Amino acid sequence: MSSPAREPWLQALDRRDATWWIDRVCRGGVFVGGMSAILFLTAIFLFIATQGLDFAWHRLSLGQLLTGQRWEPTVEPPEYGALPLIAGTAWITAVAMLVAVPLSFGAAIYIGEFARGRQREWLKILIELLAAIPSVVWGVIGLQVMKPVIQQLFDVQVGLNVLNAGIILGLMAAPIITTIAEDALKAVPDTYREAAEALGATRWQIVRKVVLPHARPGLSAAILLGIGRAFGETIAVLMASGHRLMIPDSIFDSAATITATIAAELGEAAVGSDHYQVLFVLGLLLFGITFAINLTADWIVRGRRGHG
Amino acid sequence: MVTGATTRSLVTVRGLSVRYGNHVALQGVDLDVNENEIFGVIGPANGGKTSFLRALNRMDDFVPHMRVDGEVTFAGRDVRTIRNLYALRRHIGVVFPLPVGLPLSIYDNVALSPRLSGTRKRAQLDEIVERCLRRAALWDEVKDRLDGLGSLLSGGQQQRLTIARALSQDPELLLLDEFSIAVDPVTTMRIEEVLKELRQELTIVLVTNLVQQARRLADRTAFFLDGRCVEIAATDALFGGGARDQRTVDYLEGRFG
């Protein structure tokens, strides 16, 4: 109006050129990718829910499931008390974290703060390789290596127990915790380290006073994701835990986890039977717990970031 | 005002307000930026200077909770109705306070924008890279290592690289936001010389916290305080004792800010 189109470039302001359209198309593409996660999650949840919900709704008391101490689905009358499984899962996961957290935080701090150059690169590659070992191999290690070692070292009858499964699970979860913890350390700006160095802080003092406090949300998230990893593991824990359907009293008792029970029993339960359905209810329980863990991890990272 | 008969305004701003959530950063700003002038914006921190720049090339799209009200036109066009926002940004070069050497080679930093808009010929790119680096007073220091990473240059060099990159867009309007914060005085002077020459070809909005820099460079200067544009005047008049508002006088004499 006040200035009519004076130059050719002015017309470009309204011309949607190729790059504009490519931007649009790619936006659409990645949107589909992002939404597919929601789609799959909903579909899986619905599948599990519909398989188990009818039974859970009409014939199962939730109180009995969560507090019942006997899991005897094949006995007449059947008992669906999942407390032994929940307790077994909790025990084994706890032991796993006791093993994994010190190991992987140590590894992450060494790689992130002390190791230099080629050594650092090699360590990172090796840790990633550790994560690539199939879980059945870990199960065999529990069965063949850890079992006799535990029997001799602690002079106990049963070598397949909470301790065995916990150690195996801890070693399995360690790489993921290490990787995420190291990322959290790496995200601490070098300027912080330099500022502390200039004050005469030792390397370890820098780690303690500057790096770890700043990385704490990331480190918490690393632990929670490790817990999630340990929680969901099935085959290795089935092989190493002894799979005894009772509440363990000590780490030298055999135990069973929710995941291992589903894996062991689903094949034998008649499709649609009460037993079959209650296993899906267990799956739903597992789904809920891992969901809660992941949400918490996310919340910790995000919430802290919000406060700067 | 130095309004001659041939003066045309490249940017007009009417009733511009910028809000971040409940915080009002800028309120009721009216001003024109003329073609081929250096328009200085001075004022203490938190006066809304940077928000003003962000509103010009619609950077609010990147900032959550940022709301822009009022009318901003660029070359006679309301920036909100422009259908190709990216084309708008390609015509407006921006230099941020802290240098941003992209993690590309020095050459690729400067060639990025021409490549984004479709220039492929090596000879043409070579020419643009050399011209822009020369203009930003960086060529002599980097001509033998154009393959080196731009992000590894020193702070002052990175800022000149940033300016070269902005020039490679061949912009109509160049927005400089306190560009000399990370640059040594000698380099600052060299860049200022370049800016004076650039006035022949393009329009510059120079936000600066150095009052004397505005005095040296700007044709007209606006004084921003607490989110309002207190006064706009020809720089000579403003510094020659012609400031009408007492707050401007106080600021120019260093009594606050």
Side-chain angles (χ1 to χ4, degrees), chain A residues 1-4 6-7 9-10 12-17 19-20 23-24 27, chain B residues 8-10 35 74-77 81-84 86-88 90-91 116 172:
Chain A
M1 188 176 62
S2 58
S3 358
R6 291 165 287 195
E7 328 264 352
W9 61 260
L10 266 175
L13 296 183
D14 286 320
R15 196 175 52 238
R16 289 177 173 167
D17 50 6
T19 58
W20 193 92
D23 179 68
R24 262 306 130 100
R27 264 185 213 210
Chain B
R8 283 193 298 192
S9 53
L10 181 67
E35 282 186 4
F74 174 67
R77 291 291 317 277
T81 65
I82 284 171
R83 293 174 73 205
N84 191 338
Y86 314 106
L88 170 72
R90 278 174 212 144
H91 291 293
L116 290 180
E172 303 298 322

Side-chain angles (χ1 to χ4, degrees), chain A residues 16 21 68 76 78 84 103 117 143 209 214 218 224 263 266 268:
Chain A
R16 289 177 173 167
W21 285 109
E76 222 28 74
L103 263 184
L143 219 51
K209 302 284 183 191
H214 188 270
L224 282 175
L266 194 60
E268 288 158 24

